[in-house]
Amino acid sequence: MKALIISDKQEIIDFSSKFLRENGYDIIVYRWLLKAIDNIEEIQPDLIILSAAEYPRHWKTLASFVKSGIGGNNVQIYLYDPDSLSDEEKQKAVELGIKDYITSLNTKNFEKIILSNNNKTSFSQDTQNLLCRIIFTNPVTRKFLFGTAVFDDQTKIYLCSLQDFADLQPQMIIKYVSIYDHNNQISVFTAKILEIKNDDLSENTQKLIKIEPMDYYEKN
């Protein structure tokens, strides 16, 4: 899948590129919106992240091109504007087929984008990265931990986003991990924590945790 990011602000480019690349997207960045319009037919993106605040008039032109079918079929466009859109702009966005708009760069917002775009493709078997819900018991504190996880079908590893991560350490073994997929089917397995890293760009205190399934108790 291809994601087109249109912005001249490095923080938008960095956050969007990092998150989407980790979720299986090939990234194309344009700092000039009109140049992106010139190449939209060739790019044929699946997803567009467009900084509406930087291009308050021209984002409508790009959306019109995409809606006409020039940019591809069923392209999902998300507008980014930290100040939110006016009611008039929101109505225009609806008319132009904008999927949604976001006002902050954080993991939660982008997880919704990934989930929505995966739903667009009906979670086909060719989709390598699917957003799931994850639940497991912290082996130290014995508290239930909840979050989201993305499964990479190539590496067979889950990348998990959790807000409560007290006492978790790399190489730690988690005895029971429950994963609920897009159809609410469940898989239960023992897993090893491979890596823990800060999600520094998230609004909330979060960590991203890579876990590797070991022995399955139940597999959908």
Side-chain angles (χ1 to χ4, degrees), residues 6-70:
I6 305 173
S7 174
D8 192 35
K9 293 188 176 180
Q10 197 61 46
E11 63 270 23
I12 298 175
I13 295 171
D14 289 346
F15 182 89
S16 302
S17 298
K18 177 177 179 292
F19 190 94
L20 294 173
R21 188 176 289 112
E22 287 177 349
N23 285 279
Y25 285 84
D26 295 323
I27 306 301
I28 301 167
V29 176
Y30 276 87
R31 295 178 179 271
W32 295 279
L33 185 142
L34 295 179
K35 186 68 174 177
I37 291 176
D38 287 341
N39 292 281
I40 196 72
E41 184 175 6
E42 179 183 351
I43 297 170
Q44 296 283 299
D46 299 285
L47 172 66
I48 298 175
I49 305 295
L50 171 54
S51 179
E54 294 177 69
Y55 315 103
R57 291 175 296 177
H58 291 113
W59 70 259
K60 304 177 187 70
T61 304
L62 182 137
S64 297
F65 267 77
V66 173
K67 187 178 180 181
S68 72
I70 293 176

Side-chain angles (χ1 to χ4, degrees), residues 22-132:
E22 287 177 349
N23 285 279
Y25 285 84
D26 295 323
I27 306 301
I28 301 167
V29 176
Y30 276 87
R31 295 178 179 271
W32 295 279
L33 185 142
L34 295 179
K35 186 68 174 177
I37 291 176
D38 287 341
N39 292 281
I40 196 72
E41 184 175 6
E42 179 183 351
I43 297 170
Q44 296 283 299
D46 299 285
L47 172 66
I48 298 175
I49 305 295
L50 171 54
S51 179
E54 294 177 69
Y55 315 103
R57 291 175 296 177
H58 291 113
W59 70 259
K60 304 177 187 70
T61 304
L62 182 137
S64 297
F65 267 77
V66 173
K67 187 178 180 181
S68 72
I70 293 176
N73 296 320
N74 203 16
V75 183
Q76 295 204 16
I77 305 176
Y78 287 81
L79 301 180
Y80 172 73
D81 190 335
D83 297 324
S84 190
L85 300 175
S86 66
D87 290 341
E88 182 179 353
E89 294 283 88
K90 289 178 183 177
Q91 181 59 39
K92 191 64 177 177
V94 171
E95 294 172 0
L96 290 172
I98 300 297
K99 180 67 177 179
D100 205 348
Y101 70 94
I102 53 179
T103 58
S104 59
L105 299 171
N106 63 60
T107 299
K108 184 177 180 179
N109 283 337
F110 275 73
E111 284 172 348
K112 291 178 181 178
I113 292 174
I114 296 296
L115 181 59
S116 178
N117 212 41
N118 283 338
N119 280 332
K120 181 195 75 172
T121 59
S122 301
F123 292 95
S124 68
Q125 293 181 351
D126 292 333
T127 303
Q128 294 183 343
N129 299 278
L130 301 179
L131 194 67
C132 311

